[in-house]
Amino acid sequence: MEAVELSRAFWRGKRVLLTGHTGFKGGWLALWLQSWGTRVSGFALHPATSPSLFELARVGEGIDSHIGDLRDLHALQQVMDQVKPEIVLHLAAQPLVREGYRDPLGTYASNVMGTLHLLEAMRQTGGVKACVVVTTDKVYANHEWAWPYRENEALGGHDPYSSSKACCELVAQSFAASYFPAARYAEHGLAMATARAGNVLGGGDFAPDRLVPDILAAWTRGEPVTLRYPQAVRPWQHALEPLAGYLQLAQGLYEQGCAVAGAWNFGPADSDMCTVGEVVERLAQRWSQAPGLLIEASDLHEAGLLRLDSSRARQLLGWSPRWSLDSCLQQTLAWHQAWQRGEDMRAYTLAQLTDYWGAHE
């Protein structure tokens, strides 16, 4: 396969179905595609938080937005038949570890059966050339060893959220092998891949039980932030980093077919791997009179060490992170402060997108 040079010209006019466009990462991706002239159709539940990036940045403007549930195959099939997408980007999910503990049935229903419904609707409609199913870095059977996980490592998942996403990987692999095998690519014309990213940060994330949203919410109230696992190490990165990877991956699938199929990691540079406590300290350096932190014990299992090896994406796709962790935290904090000042958050979010990618056209 050849490296993929992400191109605005490629995406202009393409029919894309984006699931999860009302969410945090989905909202950023919808705006990015809008700005490039893509014909974006979204399918998702109502925003899960208030406020939300979807509302503040007016993500629904300029796209074909459908509010619906992936667990409703009939509704999803109707949208798929109407849109007839060339490219499908599947981001919709129940994305939180602790919510998975609270509602395991809903988590598996959304993440596993929702994904299966999407793939079946795509199969029934036909015409899709590229499909990227987004999962997570937590799909690996995590032994908390020192070296990073590669795409050929064993899948697993200690908690309901993680295992539901590992199931998504298996569902996608099975569907590709059963209905869209590489040997019959000339017949069906569809190439599929899964994408595994780390812990993403960025403006517009208001989800509960997530580190940076919890920090900013607490400090805005003048309260110390409460941490459960200050020594846990995670692959931190701005949401735009894996989103660029998803776009490169989808473009590669469209242009090069099954040569680009399979699983792909999109994680930060090794130098940006750090603990939860270090992230708090770096943010505190940028927040005048940060109220500090508290440590709260938890009996719910979360991984203590998780690292991704993204060398495949770097070497074969030509993808690499553009922002350091410090730049990521600065951009995230700047977005939050702009929102507090009452700025136009659609314009501000698009400006950050330009800062990230505009100089690399």
Side-chain angles (χ1 to χ4, degrees):
M1 62 171 289
E2 300 177 0
V4 179
E5 184 175 351
L6 186 55
S7 165
R8 180 195 299 262
F10 168 84
W11 288 94
R12 186 177 299 116
K14 290 290 189 301
R15 297 188 309 279
V16 173
L17 178 63
L18 168 62
T19 71
H21 69 293
T22 62
F24 165 55
K25 285 171 69 178
W28 275 98
L29 187 52
L31 285 173
W32 192 338
L33 290 171
Q34 283 181 58
S35 72
W36 279 7
T38 307
R39 296 167 60 185
V40 184
S41 296
F43 185 89
L45 297 171
H46 288 287
T49 63
S50 183
S52 67
L53 176 68
F54 182 77
E55 295 169 342
L56 294 176
R58 306 191 301 283
V59 174
E61 292 183 6
I63 73 169
D64 176 31
S65 178
H66 300 266
I67 300 300
D69 194 326
L70 285 172
R71 292 169 292 188
D72 184 345
L73 176 58
H74 178 69
L76 180 58
Q77 185 70 65
Q78 285 186 314
V79 172
M80 187 75 71
D81 290 341
Q82 174 185 326
V83 173
K84 293 182 169 54
E86 302 167 83
I87 298 172
V88 172
L89 302 171
H90 177 41
L91 275 67
Q94 191 297 97
L96 302 173
V97 171
R98 291 173 74 84
E99 179 61 23
Y101 280 113
R102 286 188 287 265
D103 182 16
L105 294 182
T107 297
Y108 284 104
S110 294
N111 294 353
V112 182
M113 290 307 299
T115 298
L116 185 57
H117 286 166
L118 176 76
L119 297 177
E120 175 62 10
M122 189 172 66
R123 183 173 77 93
Q124 293 295 334
T125 299
V128 178
K129 293 195 64 175
C131 174
V132 175
V133 175
V134 174
T135 60
T136 174
D137 58 347
K138 297 175 181 61
V139 298
Y140 293 105
N142 189 0
H143 302 288
E144 305 208 20
W145 50 38
W147 52 89
Y149 289 90
R150 297 170 297 177
E151 290 88 348
N152 60 354
E153 306 277 2
L155 299 177
H158 183 282
D159 61 274
Y161 165 74
S162 301
S163 66
S164 74
K165 287 302 223 174
C167 290
C168 289
E169 292 276 348
L170 296 175
V171 165
Q173 291 173 19
S174 173
F175 232 78
S178 299
Y179 302 108
F180 310 110
R184 289 168 32 209
Y185 177 71
E187 174 186 338
H188 56 73
L190 170 63
M192 289 176 55
T194 60
R196 306 163 181 175
N199 287 46
V200 295
L201 313 176
D205 185 3
F206 297 96
D209 297 324
R210 282 175 53 78
L211 179 62
V212 172
D214 286 351
I215 293 172
L216 297 180
W219 287 355
T220 298
R221 297 190 301 266
E223 300 172 357
V225 64
T226 300
L227 302 182
R228 298 185 301 272
Y229 305 97
Q231 299 306 314
V233 176
R234 297 286 186 269
W236 311 100
Q237 59 190 336
H238 196 281
L240 292 175
E241 305 284 16
L243 293 181
Y246 306 161
L247 292 177
Q248 280 183 260
L249 181 55
Q251 183 177 327
L253 292 166
Y254 191 100
E255 294 176 333
Q256 301 181 42
C258 292
V260 190
W264 297 82
N265 285 342
F266 296 99
D270 288 344
S271 59
D272 287 327
M273 297 290 297
C274 66
T275 68
V276 168
E278 289 174 307
V279 170
V280 178
E281 291 174 2
R282 294 191 191 196
L283 272 176
Q285 293 170 3
R286 295 169 169 81
W287 188 286
S288 177
Q289 299 179 331
L293 59 89
L294 300 172
I295 307 300
E296 177 186 84
S298 174
D299 59 357
L300 298 180
H301 174 272
E302 289 192 34
L305 176 62
L306 181 58
R307 300 173 61 201
L308 287 181
D309 182 337
S310 303
S311 56
R312 183 172 186 241
R314 289 179 172 86
Q315 294 170 11
L316 299 183
L317 276 183
W319 171 89
S320 62
R322 299 181 184 277
W323 281 347
S324 67
L325 177 58
D326 284 329
S327 297
C328 165
L329 293 174
Q330 180 60 44
Q331 294 282 354
T332 301
L333 184 56
W335 194 101
H336 182 81
Q337 292 170 333
W339 167 56
Q340 289 187 311
R341 292 193 300 268
E343 294 196 25
D344 181 335
M345 295 315 298
R346 180 181 175 88
Y348 195 90
T349 305
L350 288 169
Q352 283 201 336
L353 268 165
T354 300
D355 287 344
Y356 177 79
W357 192 259
H360 304 279
E361 282 294 299

